[in-house]
Amino acid sequence: ECEFLTTLEADGNRLGGDGALPDLGGLKLLKRLSLRRCELKALPEWIARCGALETLVAAENSIVSPLPSLETCVSMLALDLGDNSLRTLPNLPKSLRHLFASGNKIDDVSTVTRCCASLETLDVERNKITSLPNDLAGLTKLVRVNVRKNLLREVDPPLMHRRASSLRSFRFSGNPLGAVPWWLPDVADDALEEVFVNERRAVLDLRDIPGYHTQVDLGNRGLLHTPALLPHLPNLTQLTLSHNSLGFLPSHLSDLVHMRGLRLNHNFLTFLPDLSKMKRLRELRVDNNRLQVLSPSVCKLAELESLYIGRNPISKLPDAITACIKLRTLWMADCQFEMLPLTLADVPELQNFYTEGNPLKFPEPSVYEEGGNNAVLGYLRSIAQNEREQREMEKARKEKAERAAARKAAKAKARWGAIALSRGIAKVDDVSDESSDEDDPRSKSGEKRSKKKKGKWKEAEEKGSAMGRLLWQRVRAVVLDDGKRREEVEHGGAMNYDMLLRARAVTRSIRVANAEEEMADIVTGLEIAKEERDRADAYLL
């Protein structure tokens, strides 16, 4: 009945439920379809069959990705998907000229350059786009660009300077831009936002400076963003950007390797880029900003002589600040320091030190009240010197203990054979006493006792040293021979007591060796005590 319908406005209805929105794919003449604020969660599949559709409005819904491909909508000229929950764009028709997708969660718009060669308007405000497509300048009919309030660090894709003069509207405020493009003055005045008037004038002034110029002063110009300095002014040695409203700095700032003086004070900076490539930098002013930490890259500037970080909410300095061996001036007044690091005392050339206005707990406020900044620095250096001396004394004590232990171990090693022999004395005494006093070769249990003695001899032999094993072998041979004699007597042989006497003689020799070893230990102890006394006397002298 509606086959001749060309326009359908269904805004503000509750069409998000299943079956609430009928299939309109059969409307071959439908040119405009508006479904704004209809509580849609997805784009209907049948839209892809609407070949005559020129305008589709599905803004202010809850539509999420992915969306059906719209490539078959060969007549579509305008598409409005604003204020939804899209993360990606669908495949778009080649005929599309106007795309509105603001207020989503889109992070990539490369689909636009791939599908829409005839695009004239690109509105992707309030998304999460981090970079513009490299081939954006290839859209030769593009005249209106709105990328406000995204996450763009730059708006200078390749060859975009060729399209600058043809732009009728270029909106890019509200991004964390490091720098504004060099071609910004080529854009018409009425095409730019008013907030970039100062940036446009600054770039115009820089264009008049020769490339070999070494000093640039852009202080107190009301800048929100820094003009791109590379590759136009690569030889800069002095750059002043103080007293502006800068919130971010260009990432290529560190590539200005000839820089000797950089003034960034009185801005709204919350962090610094990597400055480690500025090996020749001597002066750095970042005071009166919003820095909460000092970039570790600052500590890699070995030629730095003056550092101004005061009036920032900084509460801690990097320990690597000692690497700035030429630092002479450190202004850190009116920060949030409660504890000053002792590493400041290790900066050899530090002379001009300013720390007033900090809620110091260490050193105590009385140190500053009595002697000012010089007293604070002197206090830190005295504490650091005491700690160094304590560490050196502790190291000396440790080395002394190690040398004493090494000498003692060497002496013990030299007498190891005798010490090992002394460990086996008790076993030998037990064996000899039993063999001389308690063993009866004529008893019936003699054979069992003989086996028990053999086990003890073997255990003692395994525990002893080389010298001890030799003596134990002698004792074992004598006693075993004596055991054989006893067995012969039990079977009618004659009793021979020579072996028993030999065993007792060996036992006596072992006891004598034990006594000598004890005497050697006493002498060693006396020698060590004498050495300790001599060292103590030398230390006192």
Side-chain angles (χ1 to χ4, degrees):
E1 296 180 1
C2 299
E3 58 181 342
F4 298 106
L5 186 66
T6 59
T7 301
L8 176 59
E9 301 280 351
D11 299 345
N13 288 285
R14 297 181 178 180
L15 303 177
D18 295 337
L21 185 63
D23 188 348
L24 303 179
L27 299 179
K28 302 300 181 180
L29 300 180
L30 186 62
K31 294 184 177 181
R32 175 178 173 82
L33 175 62
S34 181
L35 301 173
R36 188 187 301 270
R37 296 190 303 275
C38 289
E39 301 181 3
L40 297 178
K41 296 182 180 179
L43 204 61
E45 297 285 345
W46 50 260
I47 290 180
R49 302 199 306 270
C50 298
L53 191 63
E54 296 179 356
T55 302
L56 173 61
V57 179
E60 301 181 45
N61 286 287
S62 301
I63 301 174
V64 297
S65 300
L67 295 179
S69 175
L70 301 178
E71 291 179 311
T72 55
C73 298
V74 294
S75 301
M76 185 173 292
L77 300 177
L79 175 63
D80 188 353
L81 297 173
D83 296 303
N84 282 286
S85 299
L86 298 177
R87 295 184 180 275
T88 59
L89 291 172
N91 291 331
L92 301 172
K94 295 181 180 180
S95 59
L96 191 64
R97 295 184 181 180
H98 308 282
L99 175 62
F100 305 92
S102 60
N104 284 281
K105 302 177 181 179
I106 300 170
D107 57 5
D108 183 24
V109 291
S110 58
T111 303
V112 173
T113 58
R114 187 175 65 252
C115 301
C116 308
S118 302
L119 194 67
E120 299 177 6
T121 302
L122 176 63
D123 186 351
V124 286
E125 179 183 353
R126 293 181 288 113
N127 278 281
K128 297 183 178 181
I129 303 171
T130 56
S131 63
L132 296 178
N134 289 333
D135 53 352
L136 186 64
L139 300 178
T140 57
K141 296 183 179 181
L142 186 65
V143 293
R144 286 177 289 272
V145 178
N146 184 2
V147 290
R148 297 177 64 249
K149 298 182 181 179
N150 277 278
L151 302 176
L152 296 172
R153 293 289 293 164
E154 61 178 16
V155 288
D156 191 10
L159 304 179
M160 197 61 188
H161 61 279
R162 298 180 180 179
R163 303 281 306 127
S165 60
S166 61
L167 292 176
R168 299 178 186 173
S169 176
F170 186 36
R171 313 292 185 186
F172 58 93
S173 63
N175 283 282
L177 296 177
V180 294
W182 196 256
W183 45 262
L184 191 65
D186 296 335
V187 182
D189 290 343
D190 57 352
L192 285 176
E193 300 169 86
E194 293 183 1
V195 294
F196 292 110
V197 173
N198 295 328
E199 281 77 5
R200 190 172 184 274
R201 292 174 181 172
V203 175
L204 281 173
D205 293 341
L206 291 178
R207 282 184 171 186
D208 296 333
I209 298 177
Y212 57 82
H213 205 68
T214 59
Q215 297 185 5
V216 167
D217 186 354
L218 294 176
N220 202 17
R221 300 286 294 265
L223 299 178
L224 296 175
H225 305 282
T226 306
L229 300 172
L230 283 178
H232 316 289
L233 298 168
N235 299 315
L236 285 180
T237 60
Q238 298 285 338
L239 176 61
T240 299
L241 293 169
S242 57
H243 295 276
N244 284 293
S245 300
L246 302 178
F248 303 92
L249 293 174
S251 57
H252 65 258
L253 189 65
S254 183
D255 294 328
L256 298 171
V257 295
H258 303 290
M259 190 70 65
R260 294 187 179 183
L262 181 59
R263 299 183 177 183
L264 305 171
N265 51 294
H266 292 86
N267 281 287
F268 299 103
L269 300 175
T270 56
F271 65 93
L272 296 177
D274 185 6
L275 303 177
S276 59
K277 295 182 183 179
M278 295 183 177
K279 300 297 184 182
R280 302 179 184 180
L281 191 65
R282 296 180 180 178
E283 180 188 21
L284 177 60
R285 292 177 177 263
V286 292
D287 54 281
N288 291 276
N289 278 282
R290 298 179 180 178
L291 301 175
Q292 296 186 358
V293 295
L294 184 63
S295 173
S297 64
V298 175
C299 301
K300 299 179 182 179
L301 305 175
E303 298 294 324
L304 191 64
E305 297 178 359
S306 301
L307 177 60
Y308 295 81
I309 60 173
R311 295 177 183 171
N312 281 287
I314 300 176
S315 60
K316 185 178 180 181
L317 280 178
D319 292 336
I321 193 68
T322 54
C324 299
I325 56 176
K326 295 185 178 181
L327 187 64
R328 299 175 61 87
T329 300
L330 177 58
W331 191 67
M332 47 188 292
D334 299 312
C335 291
Q336 299 297 323
F337 291 99
E338 295 183 356
M339 306 285 288
L340 293 182
L342 290 178
T343 51
L344 288 175
D346 297 328
V347 181
E349 300 294 331
L350 186 59
Q351 296 180 359
N352 305 316
F353 180 64
Y354 304 93
T355 185
E356 61 270 14
N358 284 283
L360 290 179
K361 296 181 180 179
F362 175 82
E364 295 181 356
S366 58
V367 176
Y368 175 79
E369 293 172 359
E370 293 176 2
N373 293 308
N374 292 332
V376 173
L377 183 58
Y379 181 83
L380 292 176
R381 286 175 171 168
S382 64
I383 295 295
Q385 180 64 23
N386 291 337
E387 289 195 355
R388 281 195 295 269
E389 292 176 354
Q390 291 179 2
R391 287 195 297 269
E392 291 174 359
M393 292 179 63
E394 185 64 27
K395 182 179 179 181
R397 292 192 190 99
K398 186 177 180 180
E399 292 177 351
K400 174 183 174 183
E402 290 176 351
R403 289 195 298 268
R407 287 195 296 268
K408 187 174 181 181
K411 292 179 181 179
K413 184 177 181 181
R415 297 179 177 85
W416 177 251
I419 294 174
L421 178 62
S422 65
R423 292 177 180 174
I425 293 300
K427 295 292 183 180
V428 178
D429 292 343
D430 293 343
V431 173
S432 61
D433 291 343
E434 289 179 2
S435 61
S436 60
D437 300 333
E438 297 178 4
D439 287 351
D440 185 1
R442 291 169 293 183
S443 65
K444 296 181 180 180
S445 59
E447 184 176 357
K448 293 181 179 181
R449 286 195 297 272
S450 177
K451 292 181 179 180
K452 185 176 181 181
K453 294 172 191 174
K454 291 178 183 179
K456 291 182 179 180
W457 295 332
K458 185 175 181 181
E459 180 181 358
E461 182 181 359
E462 292 175 351
K463 292 183 178 180
S465 63
M467 185 182 297
R469 284 197 294 272
L470 290 175
L471 289 174
W472 276 109
Q473 289 175 2
R474 291 181 58 192
V475 174
R476 188 171 181 274
V478 171
V479 178
L480 287 177
D481 196 3
D482 182 50
K484 292 180 180 179
R485 295 291 183 179
R486 291 173 185 270
E487 291 178 358
E488 291 177 358
V489 171
E490 289 178 355
H491 291 84
M495 179 64 182
N496 190 345
Y497 291 96
D498 292 341
M499 296 297 179
L500 183 59
L501 294 175
R502 287 167 56 193
R504 291 178 177 176
V506 172
T507 302
R508 284 194 298 272
S509 66
I510 293 176
R511 288 176 178 173
V512 172
N514 184 27
E516 291 177 352
E517 177 60 25
E518 292 178 354
M519 183 62 69
D521 290 340
I522 293 173
V523 173
T524 300
L526 290 174
E527 292 176 355
I528 294 175
K530 183 179 179 181
E531 292 176 359
E532 294 289 339
R533 185 193 65 187
D534 294 340
R535 284 195 294 271
D537 293 339
Y539 181 80
L540 292 176
L541 293 176

